[in-house]
Amino acid sequence: MPRRTRIINDPSELVPLLQTFQSKEHKQVFNALTAEWMTKSQLDEVMGFDVEESLNILKRCGLLEIQWRMPKPGEKPEKEYHSSYSKAQANFQCSFEDLSEIITLTFTPYEEIKDLIRDLEREVENGNHSMSSLTRSLNRSPLYVRSLARRSDRLTVMGQRLKMNEEDK
């Protein structure tokens, strides 16, 4: 089956990708899913650890395809997973200052930026979805706000707007 190329147009998209592949466990799960479709229970068995967090992160990054496996008679259907991309192509330009800010934000421990993430989530929950309005209220650059939103499990970047994830409503 031909593999697809992930085109990265926004430098903030690097945040979840770099976070994912800095973890040995997440990378192992991704590599296993490049070879074949597998269910969570199959992955748990092959990896030797619970892969729930890895699947959530890979899904959030847009690196997973998910479908229902046809069960044998009398069994329940199960979701199965496969990696959707085998290559990446970066197509953006930014200053080194912005790039260094993104990389720093990516690898900063969550505890050190949780207050900023909570402030951003609170703003979006209160109806402030516009990137220009959020940058003014948080006194940060649009790239920083998008990158910060990509660190949050509760926010989704939709062009020049942020929204709360459906399961968090």
Side-chain angles (χ1 to χ4, degrees):
M1 171 163 73
R3 305 300 296 162
R4 299 184 306 185
T5 300
R6 169 76 185 261
I7 299 174
I8 302 167
N9 291 316
D10 180 356
S12 71
E13 292 178 46
L14 291 175
V15 172
L17 290 174
L18 291 172
Q19 278 190 302
T20 299
F21 293 117
Q22 83 168 355
S23 163
K24 183 176 79 172
E25 290 84 15
H26 301 328
K27 181 156 177 24
Q28 286 175 335
V29 171
F30 178 81
N31 289 342
L33 292 174
T34 59
E36 61 183 303
W37 287 88
M38 299 174 83
T39 64
K40 181 187 177 308
S41 56
Q42 288 173 319
L43 279 166
D44 286 341
E45 186 177 321
V46 169
M47 295 294 131
F49 57 88
D50 184 17
V51 298
E52 185 72 33
E53 181 184 359
S54 296
L55 291 175
N56 288 337
I57 288 173
L58 291 170
K59 181 180 173 188
R60 206 173 95 217
C61 292
L63 297 176
L64 279 187
E65 290 181 69
I66 304 170
Q67 68 182 18
W68 288 99
R69 178 174 284 182
M70 290 300 295
K72 295 177 183 168
E75 293 181 356
K76 291 183 179 181
E78 267 188 287
K79 286 183 182 178
E80 61 181 353
Y81 306 90
H82 191 261
S83 61
S84 50
Y85 298 98
S86 61
K87 297 178 183 177
Q89 176 181 329
N91 186 26
F92 62 82
Q93 180 176 332
C94 67
S95 68
F96 276 113
E97 182 180 335
D98 287 341
L99 187 60
S100 68
E101 197 169 66
I102 289 169
I103 292 170
T104 301
L105 185 61
T106 299
F107 297 111
T108 300
Y110 178 79
E111 290 300 314
E112 292 180 26
I113 59 171
K114 70 179 180 186
D115 292 336
L116 281 171
I117 292 173
R118 286 185 185 148
D119 290 346
L120 180 58
E121 290 171 348
R122 198 172 308 116
E123 286 284 330
V124 174
E125 282 177 331
N126 292 333
N128 187 357
H129 301 278
S130 165
M131 191 60 64
S132 59
S133 179
L134 288 165
T135 57
R136 280 191 302 274
S137 65
L138 296 173
N139 197 25
R140 302 286 180 160
S141 73
L143 184 57
Y144 188 88
V145 172
R146 283 194 309 273
S147 299
L148 191 62
R150 292 186 194 278
R151 282 291 307 258
S152 170
D153 293 334
R154 300 181 61 212
L155 294 172
T156 300
V157 178
M158 307 287 292
Q160 293 299 310
R161 301 181 64 74
L162 297 184
K163 72 171 197 165
M164 298 300 293
N165 292 336
E166 295 300 318
E167 58 268 9
D168 292 319
K169 287 186 173 180

